Amino acid sequence: QVQLVESGGGLVQAGGSLRLSCAASGRTFSTYAMAWFRQAPGKEREFVAAVTESGRSTYYADSVKGRFTVSRDNAKNTVYLQMNLLKAEDTAVYYCAARKTVVGIRHGSDYWGQGTQVTVSS
């Protein structure tokens, strides 16, 4: 069982930056691939970014490539999402997720956090 708690959301102006954090419980964090998803009002949840268990490989949705960076610190059981050059269309609830393998992670995960709101004003 993995419990995930996101933090770092808030209100920011377009062009600004935010860093989201996701703290995981348990001693098996380093065995899970980690991902970020988001869900805007009236829309389906969508994949944002993922990082492999070791942190060596990362994957991004086309809509955030070049602006967002996912990383992890296995010593701290934490995954991060650095978001730069934010746009109004990035407004959503952002969810952290854990999956035993990065294969298929874009389509779903085994464990989810409760989400943190990110609002970008234009």
Side-chain angles (χ1 to χ4, degrees):
Q1 189 78 6
V2 177
Q3 292 184 322
L4 305 171
V5 179
E6 301 96 335
S7 61
L11 174 64
V12 63
Q13 287 188 332
S17 298
L18 276 176
R19 188 174 85 152
L20 304 183
S21 299
C22 173
S25 65
R27 292 178 288 182
T28 60
F29 176 73
S30 62
T31 67
Y32 285 85
M34 300 297 297
W36 290 93
F37 290 76
R38 67 186 181 187
Q39 187 167 20
K43 294 188 177 181
E44 292 187 352
R45 186 160 53 190
E46 63 174 357
F47 169 80
V48 174
V51 58
T52 54
E53 296 89 325
S54 66
R56 290 194 195 99
S57 296
T58 55
Y59 307 88
Y60 297 94
D62 288 343
S63 58
V64 306
K65 207 171 288 184
R67 300 187 298 122
F68 290 12
T69 303
V70 61
S71 62
R72 66 190 296 162
D73 185 336
N74 285 344
K76 295 183 178 180
N77 279 17
T78 302
V79 62
Y80 304 97
L81 185 67
Q82 177 67 44
M83 305 185 293
N84 298 329
L85 298 174
L86 282 161
K87 305 175 182 179
E89 51 263 45
D90 294 319
T91 295
V93 177
Y94 283 71
Y95 297 90
C96 174
R99 184 178 172 94
K100 262 301 184 180
T101 171
V102 75
V103 175
I105 201 167
R106 291 174 183 262
H107 307 295
S109 287
D110 301 319
Y111 301 99
W112 297 88
Q114 83 289 349
T116 186
Q117 176 71 46
V118 171
T119 303
V120 184
S121 62
S122 56

